[in-house]
Every structure is written in C-alpha cells, then in structure tokens.
Amino acid sequence: MLRLSKLTDYAVLVLVQLARGAAVQTAPGIAAATLVPEPTVAKVLKILAANGLVTSLRGARGGYRLSRPLATLPVAEVIAAIDGPIALTACVEGSPTVCEQQGSCPMSGRWLRVNEAIREALAEITLAEMIGEPDIAAPPIAQPVPRPPITVEETL
C-alpha cells in the first residue's frame, strides 16, 4: 500500500491553515487551529521553511507565512519536502535506499515508468485544488500606507 507519512499530512494541514488564517501566524496559533501538537507544528514549519514553502519572520509580530499561494503549490512538492523524493521502490532512480537484488532482479528499472506517472500526477494537483479552492491566494501582508509628501504651501 502506498501511504504518505503523518508528517506530510500535518504539513498539508499547516499550509492550508496559513492560507486561510492571518497573513502571519505563530506555531502555537497554528497548533490551536489545526489540533496538531505544537512541537509537531514547529517541526513541520522548520522543514517547510528550509524547503522554501513558508517564510519565517522574526520579531514581536513574527511567525510564519506562505511563500506563495496554494494554487501554485503542488502536492508533490510538499511530499518531497517532508518525505524526500517520491520513490515507490528502492530501485527507482533517486531513492534514498539501495536494493540488494538490483543486479539480478528482472524488474530492475521497470518501476521507473510507474513512479514517474505517480510523480507527474502529484505534480499536477495543487493544495488549493485539494481543498476545493483553486483560486485561493496567500493572505496579503499589511504594508504601511505611503503618505504624500508635504508641500511648502501646506506648512504656511
């Protein structure tokens, strides 16, 4: 059976919460909203930040935000960030493990086509599509409103 890790499932929940909530959110806030334990949320956020899927902001108003909208974030990228390259068997190119029977196996190299089909399918599905909101965007970050320059007439 092909099954994703629980950490990948949590990563999807965290990313969706970041898209639906405030522009910048903290790990404790995300944990409360998703009911995922805070240490797990912190671990997931660290991995997602290291892979460029979220951005961390320091300071009193710090936290995390999406690096880009969910509509541009394929499921395959989240899986690869958390679990590593998508590889069905040890003989598939890019697999972190090596098969002991690789040299004598009649199926050696044959799984590559199946693995590539699955990878392509997962690359075509975005997180926004998974939650039924294909047009969802990252929450806007509040920017200071520029004030017009003061003219000489206004100061007199």
Side-chain angles (χ1 to χ4, degrees), residues 14 70 118 156:
V14 166
L70 291 187
I118 291 171
L156 296 175

Side-chain angles (χ1 to χ4, degrees), residues 14 17-18 21-34 36 38 41-42 45 55-65:
V14 166
Q17 175 58 34
L18 284 169
V24 177
Q25 299 178 51
T26 63
I30 295 168
T34 60
V36 175
E38 188 178 337
V41 170
L45 286 167
T55 304
S56 65
L57 304 166
R58 296 183 144 204
R61 297 185 184 253
Y64 293 87
R65 66 178 171 95

Side-chain angles (χ1 to χ4, degrees), residues 1-4 74-77 79 85-89 92 110-125:
M1 170 174 24
L2 178 63
R3 181 176 284 189
L4 299 176
V75 175
E77 198 169 333
I79 295 169
I86 298 168
L88 295 177
T89 64
V92 173
R110 306 285 195 270
W111 282 106
L112 188 58
R113 183 173 171 211
V114 175
N115 196 76
E116 191 57 37
I118 291 171
R119 188 180 308 140
E120 286 175 11
L122 293 171
E124 291 177 10
I125 302 168

